[in-house]
Amino acid sequence: MKIIVTGATGMAGQGVLLECLQNNAITEILMVNRKHLEIAHPKLKELLVPDFLKIKDFSNSLKGYDACFFCAGISSLGINEEKYTVITYDTTLQFAKTLVKINPAMVFNYITGAYTDSTEKSKTMWARVKGKTENDLIKLPFKGQYNFRPGGMSPAKGQKNAKMLYVVIVNIIKVFSPKNIISLNELGQAMINAVHNGYAKQVLEISDIKKLAKDKYLQNGGSL
């Protein structure tokens, strides 16, 4: 399985990347980053794209992949709706529309967030914008398209890109409400299994992600 991963310089993307690197089902990974990430692995390549809104210019480098794990994203803290929409909605849709034209048989997995509002009417800005992003991704004619809504995320094994305060808070929540926390290993595993086996829902809440992560395909190390 050949995949594209975005957001590998951030916590979620790096955690998913580490899970993919150790999974036998993945034979080739293309990181699409805005800035260089210092990491080396035999099945890993990097494509630098300073502005994802211009991803069309790099189409030739994106051909022949089976899936995209779109993990790029930002917090809405301190950002107005116009800027957040450009980064979250416009950028993601531009990336996805480019890929679906050159790889229509691809599965496109998008990391969104718990409490995203599918009605697009929420008073919470980020939930409304992410809801519209999910809804319009679902309309694209990919072979498969899944939206993952993790809650609190604990770092993948060996991961260094995680803010200490965030990790402490997640660990505290995990003690009192473990069902609201998912590890980035689980998230990566679920995304891999969604490509191979699919899933009954296109919007996956934490319980769905945990269930999919335990799929038979992964437990067999990528071979049925």
Side-chain angles (χ1 to χ4, degrees), residues 81-82 84-85 88-89 115-135:
E81 182 165 355
E82 181 180 3
Y84 187 74
T85 298
T88 300
Y89 177 83
Y115 306 110
T116 291
D117 175 38
S118 296
T119 71
E120 306 177 26
K121 296 178 180 178
S122 173
K123 293 181 180 179
T124 304
M125 182 271 285
W126 72 262
R128 191 170 61 243
V129 173
K130 285 207 167 187
K132 180 172 176 54
T133 305
E134 287 183 353
N135 290 340

Side-chain angles (χ1 to χ4, degrees), residues 7 13 24 41 48 63 87 96-97 103 115 142 166 187 203:
N24 293 332
H41 192 280
L48 292 179
K63 294 178 179 176
I87 296 172
K97 288 178 179 177
N103 297 310
Y115 306 110
F142 284 109
Y166 178 82
L187 180 57
V203 176

Side-chain angles (χ1 to χ4, degrees), residues 43-209:
K43 59 183 178 183
L44 185 60
K45 299 191 297 185
E46 183 181 53
L47 174 66
L48 292 179
V49 180
D51 183 355
F52 278 16
L53 289 173
K54 298 179 180 177
I55 191 64
K56 280 184 180 178
D57 297 342
F58 301 85
S59 293
N60 287 338
S61 299
L62 304 171
K63 294 178 179 176
Y65 287 89
D66 302 299
C68 175
F69 296 176
F70 197 92
C71 308
I74 60 167
S75 167
S76 64
L77 292 176
I79 299 178
N80 63 36
E81 182 165 355
E82 181 180 3
K83 184 174 181 180
Y84 187 74
T85 298
V86 170
I87 296 172
T88 300
Y89 177 83
D90 295 343
T91 300
T92 306
L93 265 294
Q94 179 64 32
F95 204 102
K97 288 178 179 177
T98 298
L99 286 181
V100 80
K101 287 182 180 177
I102 57 179
N103 297 310
M106 166 181 276
V107 173
F108 190 92
N109 290 334
Y110 174 58
I111 296 182
T112 169
Y115 306 110
T116 291
D117 175 38
S118 296
T119 71
E120 306 177 26
K121 296 178 180 178
S122 173
K123 293 181 180 179
T124 304
M125 182 271 285
W126 72 262
R128 191 170 61 243
V129 173
K130 285 207 167 187
K132 180 172 176 54
T133 305
E134 287 183 353
N135 290 340
D136 286 354
L137 284 174
I138 288 172
K139 296 174 185 174
L140 296 178
F142 284 109
K143 174 186 175 183
Q145 199 284 309
Y146 302 96
N147 301 289
F148 292 76
R149 293 181 175 181
M153 296 178 287
S154 58
K157 186 178 181 181
Q159 184 171 0
K160 298 178 180 177
N161 185 4
K163 294 181 179 179
M164 183 60 70
L165 178 59
Y166 178 82
V167 173
V168 170
I169 293 172
V170 164
N171 285 339
I172 292 172
I173 296 174
K174 191 174 182 178
V175 171
F176 298 100
S177 184
K179 67 180 182 180
N180 290 318
I181 302 296
I182 192 163
S183 75
L184 287 171
N185 289 109
E186 289 179 293
L187 180 57
Q189 290 163 8
M191 295 177 90
I192 293 167
N193 289 339
V195 177
H196 191 268
N197 293 344
Y199 195 68
K201 304 175 183 176
Q202 284 186 268
V203 176
L204 289 81
E205 305 291 350
I206 297 176
S207 60
D208 296 302
I209 299 171

